[in-house]
Amino acid sequence: MEKFQIAAFLGVFLGAIRCLAYGISVSCMMAYEEGGAPAVFSSPECPQWVLAAESSRNSSRNCHFATFQGRREYQEDRITCNLDMKIPYKHKTLRAGKNGPEEATVGIAAVFDGHGGREASEMASEKLADYLVLHTMFNSYNQAVPRNGENNDVDTGCFTQTSSQGVPPVIDRSIYGILKEGLLRTIQDIDSEFSQEALEKGYTSGSTLTVLLLVEGRFLIANVGDSKAILCSRKIRSHNETVEALHTEELTRDHHPDREDEKARIEAAGGFVHVWGVPRVNGILAMSRAIGDVFLKRYGVIAVPDVTGWRPLTSEDIYLVVASDGLFETLTPQNVCDLLHNKASEVSSECLLSSSLADCIIRTAFKRGSTDNLSVILIPWKPPIKQMTGAAAAQQLQ
């Protein structure tokens, strides 16, 4: 028994040393386990975790965006865009004794369409990237801990357990799985934190959230509300002659209250859907999922996102687009891709006056009569030459 206690103590001690080596103290890890990202950023045990300044949250490098207040009295849209975030994480294949952290380059592009005030979209945009980094790091370091008396030989990153079989099992935790889990926890933390603040301060505001993650040519989309993500691609069809056709794909599905599954949840919670211009939850909210809207949560409004699987981009894909619904009051997703594909200035006089393609799309939607705030993020995709077909690679080299 004494030998076992000594071994257990040494395991915890060495695990604590490893945590410190990654910049995560044991007490900080405990704060994370108890309260997630908000607890870490507010805990005196985690002094190194500080929210990034606004100037570092958005980067225009390979990420083109534009926002415009439009005809609304206030600008409630917010964006987050940075395609070059560096996130330390533990390697996907972990065995005892192999603890080296790696670094992933992660792109993030998100649109938040606020309503009823800017408080929800403001908080969500300020904290999304930082919370994602934190959850990714902590989740990758704090691997599966034995439960229900199981004794697995697993290097948890901060603590090492012993195995009754004596064979160290492999934990396959790729950066893709870690990021997806981290994003889900990030959205949950943001909604919980804002909802608590809204109750304390009487906020009635809420926000959509459509976020795209991009890693090594693969992307994932999470969506809450009615902002959209679309993919613009070239499709080459060869018959007697080569014809390039434009393909537009909607990557998200709006959370509207009259959607059968959404309406069923609302009514099961005691709410109802009433059409006032458009279908609304209890005649008020024109979407069935949102960050915030705390006073409608009891009636079936949730902040749980729809999440796609990770998907590879191809040499035919040209743009990923994330935008608020104000853009789609007057433009269809096909219109947006047409503007991008046809070099914009050839099809829209507004684009001659624009500073960028993103600005061109905003101006075009506004000129056609959009009455809402307008926000769009464009991510041009230029795949590595080694991923292209021979013809496409030759064209890229020209």
Side-chain angles (χ1 to χ4, degrees):
M1 176 65 70
E2 183 179 351
K3 289 182 178 180
F4 175 80
Q5 290 175 336
I6 293 173
F9 170 78
L10 287 174
V12 172
F13 175 76
L14 292 173
I17 294 297
R18 282 197 294 274
C19 277
L20 290 171
Y22 298 131
I24 302 174
S25 67
V26 174
S27 55
C28 188
M29 180 63 78
M30 291 175 64
Y32 174 75
E33 293 293 340
E34 291 174 3
V40 171
F41 280 103
S42 62
S43 173
E45 303 294 340
C46 312
Q48 73 274 37
W49 289 95
V50 180
L51 289 172
E54 181 177 0
S55 59
S56 65
R57 284 199 298 271
N58 295 332
S59 170
S60 60
R61 182 182 178 186
N62 296 327
C63 191
H64 313 296
F65 56 87
T67 64
F68 184 47
Q69 182 173 322
R71 295 178 172 88
R72 288 291 180 91
E73 186 176 356
Y74 304 104
Q75 171 61 292
E76 296 173 327
D77 282 5
R78 296 292 185 272
I79 64 164
T80 293
C81 188
N82 188 338
L83 298 188
D84 196 35
M85 293 199 310
K86 307 297 184 185
I87 305 181
Y89 75 103
K90 292 197 69 173
H91 193 275
K92 65 181 179 180
T93 302
L94 303 174
R95 289 183 183 271
K98 295 185 179 180
N99 303 310
E102 297 189 3
E103 187 177 72
T105 300
V106 179
I108 183 169
V111 167
F112 312 82
D113 184 351
H115 49 263
R118 65 185 183 184
E119 296 90 359
S121 58
E122 185 81 22
M123 174 185 280
S125 64
E126 287 177 352
K127 299 190 174 183
L128 179 71
D130 286 323
Y131 279 19
L132 178 64
V133 170
L134 184 145
H135 278 301
T136 301
M137 290 182 63
F138 277 70
N139 288 341
S140 68
Y141 295 159
N142 190 28
Q143 298 296 325
V145 177
R147 286 174 170 79
N148 299 326
E150 295 178 357
N151 203 3
N152 302 316
D153 188 356
V154 174
D155 179 359
T156 66
C158 291
F159 305 100
T160 303
Q161 287 75 42
T162 57
S163 170
S164 58
Q165 291 81 13
V167 178
V170 175
I171 304 172
D172 185 5
R173 295 264 289 178
S174 71
I175 185 60
Y176 301 106
I178 293 168
L179 279 168
K180 182 176 180 179
E181 180 183 345
L183 181 59
L184 290 172
R185 294 195 64 177
T186 292
I187 294 170
Q188 180 183 34
D189 274 356
I190 288 173
D191 181 61
S192 296
E193 185 177 5
F194 178 75
S195 294
Q196 181 177 347
E197 183 174 327
L199 286 171
E200 293 171 355
K201 298 183 178 180
Y203 296 150
T204 59
S205 60
S207 178
T208 71
L209 164 60
T210 297
V211 57
L212 177 149
L213 299 183
L214 181 63
V215 181
E216 296 179 345
R218 293 176 179 268
F219 70 89
L220 173 146
I221 306 287
N223 181 52
V224 177
D226 60 2
S227 296
K228 292 183 186 293
I230 62 177
L231 176 65
C232 306
S233 307
R234 301 184 187 95
K235 299 296 180 182
I236 308 298
R237 295 181 299 199
S238 296
H239 300 291
N240 295 330
E241 58 180 322
T242 300
V243 178
E244 184 175 275
L246 185 66
H247 178 71
T248 303
E249 181 181 355
E250 292 193 44
L251 303 171
T252 53
R253 187 181 176 200
D254 294 346
H255 293 128
H256 286 158
D258 60 340
R259 231 176 73 175
E260 186 175 345
D261 54 341
E262 300 294 292
K263 184 177 181 180
R265 186 187 66 251
I266 292 163
E267 291 179 344
F272 61 91
V273 177
H274 175 72
V275 177
W276 184 44
V278 296
R280 298 175 184 271
V281 179
N282 289 9
I284 300 170
L285 184 63
M287 65 197 69
S288 50
R289 303 193 193 191
I291 303 293
D293 288 298
V294 65
F295 298 107
L296 289 172
K297 283 293 201 291
R298 72 185 70 179
Y299 299 112
V301 174
I302 61 176
V304 179
D306 283 338
V307 185
T308 68
W310 287 94
R311 170 175 162 180
L313 289 161
T314 72
S315 59
E316 293 181 330
D317 300 325
I318 55 174
Y319 278 98
L320 286 160
V321 182
V322 185
S324 60
D325 72 325
L327 195 73
F328 301 102
E329 280 190 6
T330 55
L331 298 177
T332 66
Q334 185 69 49
N335 294 151
V336 173
C337 289
D338 286 340
L339 285 167
L340 295 170
H341 186 255
N342 295 317
K343 298 181 181 178
S345 61
E346 298 176 10
V347 294
S348 173
S349 60
E350 290 302 305
C351 295
L352 296 173
L353 305 174
S354 301
S355 58
S356 67
L357 280 174
D359 187 52
C360 155
I361 292 171
I362 293 295
R363 284 175 176 267
T364 302
F366 179 74
K367 183 179 180 181
R368 294 187 183 182
S370 178
T371 60
D372 203 352
N373 298 151
L374 297 156
S375 296
V376 65
I377 300 172
L378 308 178
I379 302 175
W381 173 241
K382 190 174 183 180
I385 291 176
K386 66 180 180 181
Q387 294 182 7
M388 297 183 178
T389 62
Q395 183 180 8
Q396 191 73 16
L397 288 168
Q398 292 177 356

